[in-house]
Structure formats: C-alpha cells, structure tokens
Amino acid sequence: MPKLLITPSILSADFAKLQEEVNSIAPYSDWLQVDVMDGHFVPNLSFGAPVMKAIKTDLPLDVHLMVTNPAERIDEFVEAGASHITFHAEAVPDIEDQRTLIEMIHAKGCTAGIAINPDTSLQALVPLLHAPSGSAQPELVLCMTVHPGFGGQGFIENVLPKIAMLRKNHPDLMIQVDGGINEETGKMCREAGANNLVAGSYIFKSKDRRKAIEALRS
Ligand code: DX5
C-alpha cells in the first residue's frame, strides 16, 4: 500500500484570509487541493488560476478540475504552480482523449489523475487502466465519495467496494477519496485501500486542525 497522504481542500477555508488558512494546516499536511468548478460540469462556481497563484505554500498543489473542458484549463493552472492535475472521466469519456490529456499534463511536468463520480462504475476506467504498457497512465485515481460541487456533504458509503476493487487490481496506484471525509469515514476508506484523503470541512471547521489531520493518519 503506497504511502498515506492527507490533502486539505481549501473549498472549506475562509476565503477572506486564505493565506492564513493555508498556513494553519500546511505544517501537518502533504498536498493542498484546489477545487476548480465551472458552474457547468458541477452546479457551483469556485475559483480560477489567479486565486491559486496568490497562495504561497511549499505544499504540492493538487488541482481538481470539475469542469466540462479540462484540456482548456491545463496551461493556466500549470503556470499558477500546479504539481498535480485531475480531470473527470465523465467530462472526457473517450479513451483517446483521456490519454491525450494525460500526456499533455505529463508534458507540463505534472502528475495526472482521473476522477469518477459516485455513480460511475470502475468499468469506465478499464480501457485506460488496463491498456497495453507504454500507453499514457494516470498516477492517481480519484473516487469521489460525494456528488461533486459542494463541501460539507454526507459520505456515500457504497463507494467503498469500488475503492477495494481498484486497490486489488492496482496495488501501486495512488487512490484518492474526496467528500465527507472525517476520522471515521477516512478510516473506512483507508481500510478499503485509499491512500490519499482529501478533507475540507472536517479540517477547516475543526477547533484543532492539527489534531484533526493527525486523526486522519491514525
Ligand atoms: C467537492 C470537492 C471536495 C470538497 C470536500 O466537490 O471536490 O474537495 O471540498 O469537502 P468536504 O470534505 O467538506 O466534504
């Protein structure tokens, strides 16, 4: 099982003091997730590359693109400091388009991820993940544990078997989960095989953020 990473999501941070919020969790975290929403792929609008560019941190920036045309957003987020970029399989259903986008992200020096919503079956990823060796592969698969678009939603437990199957078939893959993650649900995800936990409200709404992050590791 690859190393466990904890990735706070700034969607639940206080935007009026974003740098302070990032500084409050950075010493205890591994990555920082930036949720990019276009109001089309998901029913919410969040922030663009200029906001991410304004954040000063040594944490690797994990850009979660919840947008209809991810290919059009890659350059600006790379320029704004992205280390990792994830797009949704539902936005790019064609296997050749998925490969092209992964190659594009890799060519910009970033790692690539592909995300699936709770109702999307693992079958949607079989053509990509079971392709002949040498073809473009993502370093990460994101299994959404809520329907994307908002923080503070309830965890969808019937995603757990999907995580377990993915881990069984891909022992070295980074498996990220996102949505409704707290100490209890994070533990269930880890037991299923996830090794990168995204958490927004659980961390940023906690009185003791360090303790909250450490609870996700224990
Ligand atoms: C939702 C986003 C999540 C969200 C998680 O679409 O992708 O990253 O911020 O927030 P919580 O942890 O509060 O569910």
Side-chain angles (χ1 to χ4, degrees):
M1 172 91 141
K3 178 178 178 291
L4 175 67
L5 301 180
I6 304 299
T7 303
S9 154
I10 59 168
L11 191 67
S12 295
D14 177 347
F15 297 164
K17 51 180 183 174
L18 193 52
Q19 187 61 51
E20 208 182 302
E21 295 279 80
V22 170
N23 297 347
S24 75
I25 53 93
Y28 322 112
S29 308
D30 301 295
W31 285 10
L32 185 70
Q33 187 174 82
V34 176
D35 289 305
V36 181
M37 303 176 180
D38 65 355
H40 190 263
F41 180 74
V42 288
N44 195 3
L45 266 179
S46 60
F47 24 64
V51 173
M52 186 174 100
K53 197 169 183 176
I55 298 170
K56 303 293 171 251
T57 180
D58 296 334
L59 290 177
L61 293 171
D62 167 18
V63 177
H64 177 193
L65 293 176
M66 288 164 273
V67 302
T68 300
N69 308 316
E72 293 171 10
R73 302 258 81 88
I74 302 298
D75 288 349
E76 64 196 282
F77 281 98
V78 170
E79 203 271 326
S83 299
H84 177 85
I85 300 177
T86 295
F87 61 92
H88 271 257
E90 298 86 3
V92 187
D94 178 82
I95 174 73
E96 286 314 320
D97 294 343
Q98 291 173 358
R99 286 189 184 141
T100 305
L101 198 42
I102 290 168
E103 285 162 359
M104 179 200 251
I105 294 168
H106 286 162
K108 306 277 176 185
C110 293
T111 53
I114 188 163
I116 47 174
N117 288 339
D119 300 337
T120 302
S121 140
L122 271 184
Q123 285 308 312
L125 297 182
V126 167
L128 180 70
L129 298 181
H130 296 229
S133 68
S135 63
Q137 286 293 306
E139 286 81 8
L140 176 151
V141 170
L142 165 52
C143 292
M144 289 301 300
T145 43
V146 296
H147 296 289
F150 302 92
Q153 300 181 77
F155 178 80
I156 300 175
E157 231 174 278
N158 67 21
V159 176
L160 291 169
K162 194 160 54 170
I163 298 166
M165 179 60 75
L166 195 55
R167 177 54 71 213
K168 183 165 164 277
N169 295 336
H170 304 277
D172 305 322
L173 185 69
M174 184 175 291
I175 300 177
Q176 190 179 51
V177 288
D178 181 11
I181 299 299
N182 57 33
E183 187 176 352
E184 191 199 333
T185 56
K187 192 165 187 303
M188 290 198 278
C189 290
R190 287 172 52 197
E191 285 166 358
N195 70 302
N196 188 325
L197 308 184
V198 176
S201 47
Y202 172 66
I203 292 173
F204 285 105
K205 307 298 181 214
S206 284
K207 286 197 184 58
D208 185 335
R209 293 171 178 181
R210 176 179 187 164
K211 206 161 151 221
I213 293 170
E214 282 163 6
L216 290 174
R217 293 186 192 284
S218 61

